[in-house]
Amino acid sequence: MKSFKKILSLSLIILNIFISVPFALTNDNLELNWYFVKREQGKTPEAPKESISFLKDCDGFYVGDTNSKVVYLTFDQGYENGNTNIILDTLKEEDIKAAFFVVKPYIKQEGEIVKRMVDEGHLVCNHSSHHPSMASIRDKDKFKLEFTEVEEEFKNLTGKDMPKYFRPPMGKYSKFSLNETKNLGYKTIFWSFAYKDWLRDDQPSESYATEKILNGVHPGAIILLHSVSSTNTKILKNIIKELKNQGYEFKTLDELPTA
């Protein structure tokens, strides 16, 4: 009986090793979805509990300087809906510099708009070549290609190197993907405010969107808007003016805190 118990105990130990080792090897590859936990108005939202422990080490940002009334305005450019030049007009009139995250097809199809962004001092940043979940790509060469194809297209168009900021498509990521992004020299830019603005045929009202955005702003906010939104385009100037009236300053991703 004692011999049987020893064998059983040893078997359980071996089984635990085989169960835990694969988990340890694959846990960093677990696909996560970015979200933020909103607190009371004007307070910094909380980051996801799943990734807060490693976000900073992976050069991941969802807020900037939370000790000052500053905001960072960013747009995701999946495709063109006729709004971006109007948005750029507004930003120029208000002397605001923003970051535009673009995919490779956008650069190819909307070269004049991209060149205008650059010429007017905005950051044109990487949003991947094919808009996949980066957490789903385990092959390092394929992972890198999602970055380099966009970089090459951008440089061919503008003659400039692309700024090293990356927004994961759909907000999907893993610890592995964040580390690989960092290894490619990029900072990962999430957000501390976003709302449902990307459905072209189901746009929120201007009053709803204005209230939603203004209530979601806080010191150090990285604001994500989608340029396909006709509502965003219409209310952008008023949003900017109101935030300025509240004492907010607009900064660029180049001015994110380094410590």
Side-chain angles (χ1 to χ4, degrees):
M1 179 63 71
K2 288 183 179 180
S3 177
F4 174 75
K5 287 183 177 180
K6 286 182 179 179
I7 293 172
L8 179 60
S9 177
L10 181 61
S11 298
L12 289 173
I13 291 171
I14 293 172
L15 180 61
N16 282 331
I17 291 173
F18 275 100
I19 290 174
S20 63
V21 168
F23 178 77
L25 292 175
T26 60
N27 193 41
D28 286 356
N29 291 322
L30 181 65
E31 183 180 82
L32 303 171
N33 292 288
W34 181 258
Y35 64 90
F36 56 90
V37 181
K38 193 174 182 340
R39 299 165 66 202
E40 58 265 36
Q41 187 175 347
K43 298 293 185 180
T44 306
E46 296 175 1
K49 62 182 183 298
E50 300 90 340
S51 56
I52 189 60
S53 63
F54 58 79
L55 187 65
K56 186 175 180 181
D57 290 339
C58 295
D59 278 352
F61 291 80
Y62 80 104
V63 292
D65 179 6
T66 57
N67 295 314
S68 303
K69 293 191 79 170
V70 299
V71 293
Y72 309 80
L73 186 58
T74 72
F75 294 87
D76 281 4
Q77 304 286 128
Y79 62 94
E80 185 52 43
N81 193 32
N83 296 321
T84 305
N85 274 318
I86 303 171
I87 289 171
L88 289 170
D89 289 342
T90 298
L91 295 175
K92 186 174 183 178
E93 290 167 9
E94 295 298 323
D95 193 24
I96 301 297
K97 307 303 181 192
F100 293 87
F101 288 87
V102 301
V103 291
K104 180 182 176 180
Y106 190 91
I107 300 174
K108 289 178 68 70
Q109 296 163 14
E110 306 296 339
E112 292 306 310
I113 295 178
V114 172
K115 285 191 287 186
R116 180 183 175 187
M117 292 172 182
V118 174
D119 291 343
E120 295 183 0
H122 303 291
L123 294 174
V124 179
C125 307
N126 207 320
H127 197 34
S128 81
S129 183
H130 300 95
H131 206 265
S133 162
M134 300 306 294
S136 70
I137 305 175
R138 308 294 169 78
D139 181 281
K140 290 189 177 184
D141 290 335
K142 290 181 180 178
F143 190 96
K144 182 178 180 180
L145 203 60
E146 287 294 330
F147 290 77
T148 56
E149 286 187 347
V150 186
E151 294 170 350
E152 290 167 3
E153 197 68 37
F154 179 78
K155 188 156 191 176
N156 288 338
L157 176 69
T158 66
K160 299 178 183 292
D161 292 329
M162 176 164 262
K164 294 289 188 175
Y165 301 106
F166 181 73
R167 174 156 288 154
M170 301 167 287
K172 294 183 180 295
Y173 67 104
S174 65
K175 185 176 182 180
F176 172 81
S177 75
L178 293 187
N179 269 321
E180 286 303 301
T181 300
K182 179 181 178 180
N183 291 339
L184 293 172
Y186 278 82
K187 291 180 173 66
T188 296
I189 307 298
F190 290 109
W191 55 88
S192 60
F193 173 81
Y195 80 114
K196 191 176 179 181
D197 63 344
W198 60 86
L199 298 176
R200 182 178 59 183
D201 298 323
D202 186 20
Q203 283 290 291
S205 70
E206 293 177 34
S207 59
Y208 170 86
T210 298
E211 181 179 5
K212 189 79 172 175
I213 294 171
L214 292 177
N215 286 344
V217 170
H218 61 88
I222 295 178
I223 300 171
L224 163 60
L225 299 176
H226 289 82
S227 61
V228 297
S229 167
S230 58
T231 298
N232 288 342
T233 306
K234 293 172 184 174
I235 67 173
L236 183 60
K237 180 175 288 191
N238 288 338
I239 292 290
I240 291 172
K241 286 182 177 297
E242 177 57 29
L243 290 178
K244 286 180 176 179
N245 288 338
Q246 292 181 18
Y248 278 95
E249 178 185 359
F250 289 80
K251 290 195 173 184
T252 76
L253 299 181
D254 284 342
E255 298 171 280
L256 286 171
T258 56

